[in-house]
C-alpha cells in the first residue's frame, strides 16, 4: 500500500499502466465495459425495486424456535383464547350508555364489516352481536341462558332493557363491556394466511380496511379505539411518509457537508450517486430473492447509503489529493485504489459481519434484516470501492478543489498553520499523555459498565413502544387499559393432562393454586381459568351460597360444574386447560415477574399427569421474545467482536494494532448500553441490531487510520509521524463522515416513529463515539504498546 505522502510528480510521469495487482488491472483496463455492465444492472434492478412490497408478518416477529412458542404453536388450534395476534375495537358512545338503539345498530354494522375483512378468524370473533356471547343465570328452575342480544331484538325500549339485563347476567362486564356501560369491545382474532388468496395476510391492506371503517363510523356520538398488532403496523405504515422525509433530510445533510469539504460538485454527486446505486441494487435484489420490507428493515437502505458515503468520501479524498499533485484522474484513481481498497474491503467485511451475526437471533424478522443488510454492504464493495474510482477516473475532480486540498495538506505537512487540534491529538503519541488518557478511559469504562448492568431487555413503556407515547395507537391502548379489567396484555399458561382428565380434582386444584399465586404478582390485574369458573358455577347451582365457592373432590360434582363453565378454557378432548393472566402492561419487569412465578411453580408442581407449559397470549409471546433477545445480545457481541478481531489481524498482522482498533469499539459499546439506561431504552427487536452495527460500522474509522499508520511505521517513521500522516490522509474524512452521519441520523430523533427515533439517537451516538475513539484512544493505545517505538 502506497501512502499519499510517497506520491510524487515523477511517479505520475513514470506510471506503469501494467503495474498493480491483477484485480486492479482488470478493473481499470476494462473500465468502460464495467460501467456499461453497472448501468444495465442499475436499470434492471431499479425496475425490480419498483415492485418491492412493504408488509409485516406476525409469525416472523416471534422466536418460533423457543420452547414457549413451540408450546403455543402446538396448542393454538386447541383453545380459542390463545390468540396472540388479534385486534380489539372499542366502540364508545358519548350518550348515556350503550343500551341505545342507534349505538347497537352501529355496533352491528361495524361488526359485520370487520367480519368480512380478509384474514379475520371468523368463527372466533366476538362482540355483543356474536352468537357465542351468552348470558347465564340461576333460576328456581335451574340454569337459564342465551345470547346477550336475543334473536327477537327489535330496538324497542323493551328489547334494550332485555339486552341490559342479559349483559348484567353475563360474564362480559370488564371484558367485552366497559364497567361504566359507555363502550363495548369487538374482539377480532387474525389468521396469518388470507383464506381468499392463500397468500400471507397483507397487513397494510388490512390496516387500510380498518381505517376506512373507523372513518366511516366515527361521528359526534360514536368514537372508535383500536389496538393490536395489525393496528400498530397500520400506524407505522401511515408514518412511513414522514420516515422518508427524515431519510431525505439525512441524505441532504450528508451531501451538503461533503460538498462543503470538497468544493467539487461533480465528485460529490458521484459519491452520492454510487451510494444510491448500492441502495437501488439492494432493493432490486431483495425483490428478486422474494423478500419484503417490513417496519424494521425499512431503515436498512439508509444505513447502506450512510456506509457508502463514508467509504466513498475516503476514495474521493485520496483521488483529490493525487490530482492536486499533478496526477491524471486515471492514475489518481488507480493509486487511491491501491492505497485504500484493502482497508475498505476489510471494513466492509466487518460491516457484513456486524449484520450477519444478527442471524443468530431466532426471530425471522431480524434474520431477514440481517440478510437484506448483508446484501447491501456486499454491494458497496462493487459500487463504492470499484465503480466510484472507475467513474472518478473519467470525471476527476475540479482543479480548484484539488489545488485547495493540496495547499491545505502541504501547509499541514510543513508545520505551517498546523491546526491546534492536530497538535493536541499528536500529544497522544507521547507515553505520558497516552497513559493519562487511558487511565481516564478505564475509570470511565468501569463507571459506565456499572450503569450498563441495569439495561433492561424488552419494553420499558406501556402501549406500543414502536410509536410515540402520544400517538393515536397509544392513546387507544391507554383507553383500553383504564376502561377494561381484562387488558390486551394477556399471558396464557397451558396445562397438559391425559385425555379426559382436565376436569379431574388434581388438575383443577393445581390450576387453582397457580391462579391464586399469579393474582399476588405485581402487574397482574385479573385472571381467568376453568377452576375459577367451576367455583362460580358451584355457587350458582347452590342458590348463590358462597359457602360452596370451592372445588369438591367428588368427580360427578366437578363434571357438573365444569360443563356449565366457559368451554373456551378447555379443549374438546379435555387434555388441555388454559390460565389467562391479564396484565396491566407488557413492560420487561412485569413480564419477568410473571415468568419467574410460573417457572418456579411449574418446577415444583409439575407431575406426569399435570404439566404447566409456557406461554401464549400477546404477553407470553413477548416474554419469549425478551428471553431470546437477552441471550442473543451477548452471543451476538461475542461473535461480532471475534470476527472483527480476526479480520483486523489478517489486515495488520500485528496483535498490538488489532487491540488499538478493537478496544475503542468495546468502550463505545459500554457507553451505548449506559446511554440506553439513562434514556429508558430497552434492548429489544428494534434496538438489538444497533449494538452489532455499532461494532461492525464503527471499526471502519479505525481501519482507515490504522492502515495508513502501520504502513508508515513499517516504512521507518515514528509513531508521531505515522499518526500525523494518517490524520492528513484519512483522518480528516473520518472526522467529516463521523460528524456528518451522526448529525444526519440524529435528525431521526424527531421522527413520529419511536423506534426510528431510538435507533437514530443510538446510531448517532455510536458514529461519533467510534470516530472519537479512533482519533483519541487508538494513538494512545499504540503509544503504550510501543508501536513505532523502535523507529524514533
Amino acid at each position: 500500500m502506497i501512502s499519499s505522502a510517497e506520491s510524487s510528480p515523477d511517479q505520475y510521469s513514470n506510471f506503469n499502466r501494467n503495474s498493480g495487482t491483477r484485480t486492479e488491472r482488470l478493473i481499470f483496463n476494462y473500465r468502460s465495459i464495467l460501467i456499461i455492465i453497472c448501468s444495465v444492472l442499475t436499470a434492471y434492478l431499479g425496475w425490480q425495486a419498483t415492485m418491492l412490497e412493504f408488509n409485516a408478518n406476525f409469525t416472523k416477529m416471534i422466536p418460533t424456535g423457543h420452547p414457549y412458542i413451540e408450546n403455543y404453536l402446538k396448542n393454538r388450534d386447541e383453545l380459542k383464547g390463545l390468540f396472540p395476534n388479534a385486534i380489539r375495537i372499542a366502540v364508545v358512545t358519548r350518550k348515556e350508555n350503550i343500551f341505545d338503539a342507534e349505538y347497537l345498530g352501529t355496533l352491528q354494522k361495524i361488526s359485520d364489516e370487520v367480519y368480512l375483512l380478509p384474514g379475520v378468524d371468523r368463527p372466533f370473533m366476538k362482540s355483543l352481536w356474536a352468537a357465542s356471547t351468552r348470558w347465564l343465570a340461576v333460576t328456581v328452575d335451574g340454569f337459564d341462558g342465551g345470547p346477550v342480544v336475543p334473536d327477537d331484538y327489535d330496538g324497542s325500549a323493551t328489547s334494550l332493557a332485555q339486552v341490559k339485563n342479559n349483559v348484567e347476567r353475563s360474564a362480559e362486564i370488564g371484558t367485552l363491556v366497559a364497567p361504566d356501560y359507555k363502550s363495548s369491545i369487538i374482539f377480532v382474532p387474525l389468521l396469518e394466511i388470507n383464506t381468499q388468496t392463500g397468500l400471507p395476510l397483507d397487513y397494510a391492506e388490512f390496516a387500510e380496511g380498518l381505517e376506512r371503517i373507523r372513518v366511516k363510523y366515527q361521528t359526534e356520538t360514536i368514537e372508535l379505539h383500536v389496538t393490536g398488532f395489525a393496528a400498530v403496523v397500520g400506524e407505522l405504515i401511515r408514518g412511513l411518509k414522514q420516515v422518508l422525509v427524515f431519510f431525505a433530510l439525512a441524505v441532504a445533510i450528508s451531501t451538503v457537508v461533503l460538498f462543503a469539504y470538497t468544493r467539487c460538485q461533480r465528485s460529490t454527486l458521484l459519491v452520492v450517486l454510487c451510494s444510491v446505486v448500492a441502495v437501488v441494487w439492494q432493493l432490486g435484489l431483495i425483490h428478486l430473492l422474494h423478500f419484503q420490507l417490513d417496519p424494521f428493515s425499512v431503515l436498512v437502505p439508509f444505513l447502506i447509503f450512510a456506509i457508502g458515503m463514508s467509504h466513498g468520501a475516503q476514495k474521493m479524498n485520496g483521488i483529490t489529493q493525487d490530482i492536486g499533485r499533478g496526477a491524471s484522474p486515471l492514475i489518481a484513481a488507480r493509486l487511491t485504489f491501491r492505497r485504500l481498497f484493502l482497508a475498505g474491503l476489510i471494513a466492509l467485511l466487518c460491516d457484513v459481519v456486524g449484520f450477519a451475526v444478527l442471524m443468530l437471533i431466532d426471530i425471522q424478522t431480524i434474520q431477514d434484516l440481517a440478510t437484506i443488510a448483508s446484501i447491501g454492504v456486499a454491494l458497496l464493495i462493487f459500487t463504492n470501492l470499484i465503480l466510484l474510482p472507475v467513474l472518478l477516473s473519467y470525471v476527476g475532480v475540479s482543479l480548484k478543489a484539488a489545488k485547495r486540498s493540496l495547499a491545505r495538506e502541504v501547509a499541514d505537512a510543513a508545520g505551517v498553520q498546523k491546526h491546534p487540534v492536530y497538535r493536541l491529538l499528536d500529544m497522544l503519541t507521547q507515553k505520558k499523555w497516552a497513559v493519562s488518557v487511558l487511565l481516564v478511559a478505564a475509570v470511565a469504562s468501569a463507571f459506565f459498565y456499572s450503569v450498563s448492568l441495569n439495561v433492561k431487555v424488552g419494553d420499558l413503556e406501556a402501549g406500543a413502544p414502536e410509536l410515540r407515547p402520544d400517538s393515536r395507537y397509544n392513546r387507544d391502548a391507554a383507553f383500553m387499559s383504564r376502561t377494561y379489567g381484562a387488558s390486551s396484555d394477556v399471558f396464557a399458561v397451558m396445562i397438559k393432562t391425559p385425555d379426559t382428565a382436565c376436569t379431574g380434582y388434581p388438575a383443577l386444584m393445581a390450576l387453582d393454586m397457580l391462579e391464586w399465586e399469579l393474582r399476588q404478582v405485581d402487574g397482574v390485574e385479573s385472571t381467568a381459568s376453568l377452576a375459577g369458573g367451576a367455583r362460580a358455577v358451584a355457587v350458582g347451582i347452590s342458590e348463590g351460597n358462597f359457602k360452596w365457592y370451592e372445588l369438591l373432590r367428588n368427580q360427578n360434582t366437578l363434571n357438573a360444574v365444569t360443563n356449565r363453565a366457559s368451554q373456551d378454557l378447555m379443549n374438546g378432548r379435555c387434555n388441555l386447560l388454559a390460565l389467562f393472566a391479564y396484565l396491566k402492561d407488557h413492560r420487561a419487569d412485569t413480564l419477568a415477574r410473571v415468568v419467574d412465578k410460573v417457572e418456579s411453580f411449574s418446577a415444583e408442581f409439575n407431575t406426569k399427569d399435570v404439566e404447566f407449559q409456557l406461554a401464549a397470549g400477546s404477553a407470553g409471546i413477548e416474554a419469549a421474545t425478551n428471553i431470546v433477545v437477552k441471550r442473543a445480545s451477548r452471543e451476538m457481541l461475542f461473535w461480532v467482536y471475534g470476527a472483527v478481531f480476526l479480520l483486523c489481524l489478517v489486515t495488520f498482522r500485528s496483535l498490538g494494532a488489532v487491540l488499538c482498533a478493537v478496544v475503542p469499539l468495546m468502550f463505545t459499546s459500554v457507553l451505548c448500553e449506559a446511554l440506553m439506561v439513562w434514556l429508558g431504552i430497552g434492548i429489544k427487536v428494534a434496538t438489538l441490531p444497533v449494538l452489532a452495527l455499532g461494532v461492525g460500522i464503527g471499526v471502519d474509522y479505525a481501519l482507515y487510520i490504522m492502515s495508513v499508520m502501520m504502513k508508515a511505521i513499517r516504512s521507518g517513521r515514528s509513531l508521531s509521524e505515522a499518526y500525523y500522516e494518517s490524520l492528513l490522509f484519512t483522518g480528516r474524512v473520518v472526522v467529516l463522515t463521523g460528524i456528518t452521519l451522526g448529525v444526519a441520523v440524529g435528525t431521526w430523533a424527531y421522527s413520529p416513529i419511536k423506534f426510528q427515533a431510538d435507533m437514530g439517537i443510538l446510531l448517532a451516538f455510536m458514529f461519533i463515539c467510534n470516530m472519537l475513539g479512533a482519533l483519541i484512544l487508538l494513538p494512545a493505545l499504540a503509544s503504550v504498546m510501543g508501536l513505532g517505538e523502535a523507529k524514533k
Side-chain angles (χ1 to χ4, degrees):
M1 186 166 55
I2 303 170
S3 171
S4 63
E6 295 174 320
S7 303
S8 65
D10 288 339
Q11 182 186 11
Y12 300 142
S13 60
N14 298 322
F15 185 80
N16 183 359
R17 294 178 182 273
N18 293 319
S19 63
T21 64
R22 186 174 181 179
T23 301
E24 178 191 329
R25 295 196 302 273
L26 183 65
I27 291 170
F28 288 95
N29 290 344
Y30 299 95
R31 51 191 177 139
S32 58
I33 296 175
L34 180 66
I35 292 174
I36 292 171
I37 293 173
C38 289
S39 299
V40 172
L41 278 175
T42 302
Y44 175 70
L45 293 176
W47 171 60
Q48 289 291 325
T50 61
M51 296 181 279
L52 186 62
E53 297 179 350
F54 181 89
N55 198 9
N57 186 299
F58 179 79
T59 304
K60 286 185 176 182
M61 298 184 69
I62 62 178
T64 53
H66 191 273
Y68 291 3
I69 309 302
E70 290 176 345
N71 291 337
Y72 156 68
L73 293 175
K74 284 189 294 187
N75 298 311
R76 63 178 171 180
D77 296 328
E78 295 284 334
L79 288 173
K80 299 178 182 179
L82 297 181
F83 308 109
N85 185 16
I87 62 167
R88 301 168 82 215
I89 305 171
V91 184
V92 185
T93 180
R94 291 192 176 95
K95 294 184 179 180
E96 184 177 352
N97 56 51
I98 63 174
F99 305 111
D100 173 81
E102 180 184 358
Y103 173 86
L104 290 177
T106 301
L107 180 68
Q108 183 181 31
K109 292 176 183 177
I110 295 172
S111 298
D112 291 344
E113 291 199 27
V114 171
Y115 184 86
L116 296 175
L117 288 175
V120 173
D121 197 354
R122 291 168 185 148
F124 302 115
M125 180 175 160
K126 288 193 72 173
S127 74
L128 287 180
W129 283 96
S132 59
T133 306
R134 304 180 66 83
W135 60 273
L136 184 69
V138 180
T139 68
V140 293
D141 297 319
F143 279 100
D144 192 12
V148 168
V149 179
D151 295 335
D152 60 353
Y153 171 82
D154 58 10
S156 64
T158 302
S159 290
L160 291 171
Q162 182 64 48
V163 171
K164 181 178 181 182
N165 188 42
N166 291 345
V167 167
E168 291 172 342
R169 292 185 294 179
S170 73
E172 302 298 346
I173 296 177
T175 304
L176 279 187
V177 178
D180 61 1
Y181 293 161
K182 299 286 286 185
S183 66
S184 69
I185 291 287
I186 303 173
F187 176 76
V188 190
L190 300 180
L191 300 167
E192 284 303 308
I193 300 295
N194 183 337
T195 54
Q196 298 173 3
T197 64
L199 299 174
L201 178 61
D202 187 336
Y203 282 92
E205 179 185 351
F206 184 85
E208 288 177 7
L210 278 180
E211 188 63 21
R212 286 194 298 270
I213 293 172
R214 187 169 193 158
V215 171
K216 180 178 179 180
Y217 290 104
Q218 194 150 281
T219 64
E220 293 182 354
T221 58
I222 297 289
E223 68 179 66
L224 276 68
H225 301 279
V226 185
T227 60
F229 175 75
V232 173
V233 173
E235 289 290 314
L236 292 174
I237 292 173
R238 278 187 287 276
L240 184 60
K241 291 182 179 178
Q242 295 182 59
V243 169
L244 294 177
V245 169
F246 282 96
F247 285 174
L249 179 61
V251 171
I253 291 173
S254 302
T255 304
V256 169
V257 174
L258 184 59
F259 173 72
Y261 175 75
T262 63
R263 307 291 175 87
C264 178
Q265 292 182 1
R266 59 179 182 264
S267 58
T268 299
L269 291 176
L270 275 182
V271 172
V272 174
L273 174 65
C274 288
S275 300
V276 170
V277 166
V279 172
V280 171
W281 287 11
Q282 178 195 35
L283 297 178
L285 276 176
I286 62 178
H287 176 260
L288 286 174
L289 296 173
H290 305 292
F291 286 98
Q292 293 178 320
L293 286 180
D294 59 40
F296 297 106
S297 61
V298 73
L299 300 176
V300 170
F302 176 76
L303 291 177
I304 300 304
F305 175 84
I307 297 169
M309 289 290 290
S310 176
H311 290 277
Q314 290 286 2
K315 306 301 173 291
M316 184 185 65
N317 180 61
I319 292 172
T320 300
Q321 291 179 356
D322 280 324
I323 290 178
R325 296 190 192 93
S328 67
L330 175 58
I331 295 174
R334 292 189 63 166
L335 290 174
T336 298
F337 181 88
R338 293 180 193 179
R339 286 192 294 262
L340 297 180
F341 179 76
L342 180 59
L345 178 63
I346 297 299
L348 287 176
L349 289 177
C350 289
D351 296 344
V352 170
V353 168
F355 284 112
V357 294
L358 298 176
M359 296 290 289
L360 295 171
I361 304 169
D362 185 26
I363 299 174
Q364 191 172 345
T365 291
I366 298 297
Q367 293 175 343
D368 287 351
L369 182 151
T371 303
I372 290 170
S374 297
I375 290 171
V377 175
L379 291 172
L380 286 173
I381 296 174
F382 296 96
T383 60
N384 288 62
L385 299 189
I386 296 175
L387 179 60
L388 178 59
V390 167
L391 291 175
L392 285 171
S393 73
Y394 280 108
V395 176
V397 299
S398 70
L399 190 58
K400 183 178 180 181
K403 289 182 176 179
R404 178 175 175 272
S405 175
L406 178 63
R408 181 173 54 197
E409 182 185 352
V410 169
D412 286 337
V416 180
Q417 298 177 344
K418 187 174 182 180
H419 198 284
V421 174
Y422 288 174
R423 291 198 299 269
L424 184 63
L425 291 175
D426 186 58
M427 293 171 63
L428 298 172
T429 62
Q430 301 172 29
K431 192 158 291 186
K432 63 177 181 178
W433 294 108
V435 170
S436 300
V437 167
L438 293 178
L439 284 175
V440 171
V443 173
S445 296
F447 170 74
F448 291 125
Y449 177 74
S450 67
V451 174
S452 72
L453 295 176
N454 297 314
V455 68
K456 302 293 185 181
V457 176
D459 297 329
L460 304 185
E461 299 175 355
E466 298 86 0
L467 302 169
R468 295 285 187 182
D470 59 352
S471 66
R472 183 178 69 173
Y473 179 90
N474 280 329
R475 293 198 304 271
D476 288 350
F479 171 84
M480 296 286 194
S481 180
R482 67 173 177 266
T483 304
Y484 292 89
S487 73
S488 58
D489 295 315
V490 183
F491 190 99
V493 182
M494 296 156 284
I495 300 90
K496 295 287 289 185
T497 71
D499 288 351
T500 71
C502 72
T503 58
Y505 182 78
L508 290 179
M509 277 304 298
L511 174 62
D512 190 62
M513 289 167 60
L514 176 59
E515 184 174 11
W516 184 87
E517 291 207 16
L518 280 177
R519 285 176 181 166
Q520 317 310 311
V521 176
D522 183 26
V524 176
E525 294 192 324
S526 61
T527 60
S529 76
L530 186 64
R535 285 174 176 270
V537 171
V539 171
I541 63 175
S542 304
E543 299 180 347
N545 189 335
F546 274 91
K547 290 182 178 180
W548 292 94
Y549 190 70
E550 186 56 82
L551 295 174
L552 302 179
R553 292 180 179 271
N554 184 282
Q555 190 59 49
N556 290 330
T557 303
L558 288 178
N559 291 340
V561 295
T562 54
N563 283 339
R564 291 180 172 86
S566 174
Q567 300 304 296
D568 291 349
L569 300 171
M570 58 186 285
N571 69 341
R573 292 184 295 161
C574 193
N575 63 2
L576 180 66
L577 296 168
L579 167 59
F580 298 106
Y582 299 96
L583 313 183
K584 68 177 180 180
D585 54 56
H586 54 261
R587 289 185 173 97
D589 289 340
T590 303
L591 295 179
R593 286 193 296 269
V594 174
V595 168
D596 289 345
K597 175 59 68 176
V598 178
E599 287 279 18
S600 62
F601 183 91
S602 62
E604 183 176 356
F605 292 101
N606 269 357
T607 67
K608 65 176 183 177
D609 293 330
V610 180
E611 180 185 359
F612 294 87
Q613 296 182 349
L614 290 87
S618 59
I621 298 297
E622 190 150 356
T625 303
N626 289 351
I627 293 170
V628 169
V629 168
K630 183 176 182 178
R631 182 178 65 245
S633 64
R634 296 307 171 200
E635 291 180 4
M636 178 190 69
L637 288 177
F638 172 80
W639 285 107
V640 71
Y641 272 113
V644 167
F645 186 93
L646 289 176
L647 287 169
C648 289
L649 189 60
V650 170
T651 304
F652 302 130
R653 300 186 304 279
S654 166
L655 182 60
V658 173
L659 292 175
C660 291
V662 172
V663 169
L665 301 178
M666 300 174 69
F667 180 68
T668 299
S669 293
V670 172
L671 285 180
C672 184
E673 291 194 11
L675 180 67
M676 293 174 72
V677 173
W678 288 327
L679 295 180
I681 300 173
I683 299 177
K684 48 193 175 184
V685 173
T687 56
L688 184 60
V690 177
L691 299 177
L693 300 183
V695 179
I697 298 175
V699 77
D700 293 3
Y701 304 123
L703 280 168
Y704 277 114
I705 289 178
M706 183 58 76
S707 61
V708 176
M709 277 181 58
M710 291 305 295
K711 180 64 180 179
I713 288 172
R714 285 168 179 161
S715 66
R717 292 181 177 83
S718 67
L719 175 61
S720 176
E721 293 169 337
Y723 179 54
Y724 187 54
E725 183 175 323
S726 71
L727 290 177
L728 296 181
F729 185 42
T730 55
R732 284 198 187 98
V733 181
V734 164
V735 175
L736 175 76
T737 55
I739 294 177
T740 302
L741 296 180
V743 171
V745 299
T747 61
W748 295 4
Y750 301 98
S751 170
I753 308 301
K754 180 67 164 54
F755 82 84
Q756 185 198 11
D758 291 345
M759 287 187 73
I761 293 170
L762 296 178
L763 282 172
F765 179 79
M766 297 191 84
F767 276 142
I768 293 174
C769 279
N770 281 321
M771 178 266 293
L772 292 174
L775 294 174
I776 298 173
L777 296 183
L778 188 153
L781 287 165
S783 176
V784 170
M785 293 180 184
L787 294 183
E789 204 168 66
K791 304 297 181 182
K792 288 185 180 181

